[in-house]
Amino acid sequence: MDEQTAREHVVAAADRLFYTRGIQAVGMDAVRSAAGVSLKRMYALFPSKDDLVIAVLHRRTAQWNAGIAATAAGASTPREKLLAIFDFLSDWFREDDFRGCAFINSYGELGATSTAVAETARAQKAAFQRYVAELVRDAGAPEHLAPQLALLAEGAQTTAAISGDAAAAGHARAAAETLITVALGRETVGV
């Protein structure tokens, strides 16, 4: 197996294990076994567990961005693209292995002890907020709407993970529709 393939196997295995069991509960030997690579090779690819966690979070960022983009692709207006965020969340919350946001989970486990993990989680959240802010600008809504919608999305993720209720996405979407309508100061059909 070449280096890139080995790297992908290790990151995918770590992602599955960290997401289902927690980062601190999973040792590097368990990742090695699940990935099917030697411990020596794994440490050559990822000198520390933090390096591996960061790689997993980068993978999750790519998945998040692709999922949001795919869901928004069918939307024709900025308003519909904003609401597509909550449609993406609804689909994700219904997946059998949904255990909440990997960034929130990672930050909760390691944010106080790993600056790199904390910074990676913050960077993903900031990028999402910029995405929402761009859509809000495109919709012609006031900029204060962006953090409100981002908070709804973040809160829905946490609520769905803890309660096990995927309906959190629908509730957040309904609140988002109200906020968007009020922020625009008019009915927004076709906006």
Side-chain angles (χ1 to χ4, degrees), residues 5-18 31 35 42 45-46 51-60:
T5 303
R7 182 177 177 77
E8 290 169 7
H9 280 251
V10 172
V11 172
D15 188 6
R16 281 189 308 276
L17 291 169
F18 293 165
V31 175
M42 190 171 71
L45 295 167
F46 302 100
D51 293 329
L52 181 54
V53 172
I54 299 305
V56 167
L57 292 177
H58 285 276
R59 179 179 197 255
R60 285 280 171 162

Side-chain angles (χ1 to χ4, degrees), residues 1 5 7-8 68 74 107 115 125 135 141 143 168 181 186:
M1 157 179 347
T5 303
R7 182 177 177 77
E8 290 169 7
I68 293 279
Y107 187 86
T115 302
K125 296 304 180 185
L135 292 177
E143 67 181 47
T181 299
R186 63 185 186 284

Side-chain angles (χ1 to χ4, degrees), residues 60-153:
R60 285 280 171 162
T61 297
Q63 290 172 334
W64 171 269
N65 292 343
I68 293 279
T71 306
S76 58
T77 67
R79 180 180 193 274
E80 290 172 356
K81 288 180 181 180
L82 284 165
L83 295 174
I85 292 166
F86 300 95
D87 298 335
F88 165 75
L89 294 177
S90 181
D91 292 343
W92 178 35
F93 296 172
R94 285 175 170 66
E95 291 178 5
D96 290 338
D97 67 345
F98 175 72
R99 293 191 36 81
C101 172
F103 299 94
I104 294 170
N105 297 347
S106 297
Y107 187 86
E109 277 197 72
L110 301 175
T113 59
S114 172
T115 302
V117 170
E119 288 174 0
T120 303
R122 285 185 190 116
Q124 189 275 335
K125 296 304 180 185
F128 175 62
Q129 291 171 1
R130 285 190 302 274
Y131 172 77
V132 174
E134 181 180 319
L135 292 177
V136 165
R137 275 190 300 279
D138 291 348
E143 67 181 47
H144 71 266
L145 178 62
Q148 295 171 350
L149 296 178
L151 282 171
L152 280 174

Side-chain angles (χ1 to χ4, degrees), residues 27-50:
M28 293 296 269
D29 194 53
V31 175
R32 178 206 55 79
S33 294
V37 300
S38 71
L39 203 54
K40 181 179 178 180
R41 185 159 201 196
M42 190 171 71
Y43 276 110
L45 295 167
F46 302 100
S48 73
K49 192 172 184 180
D50 266 13

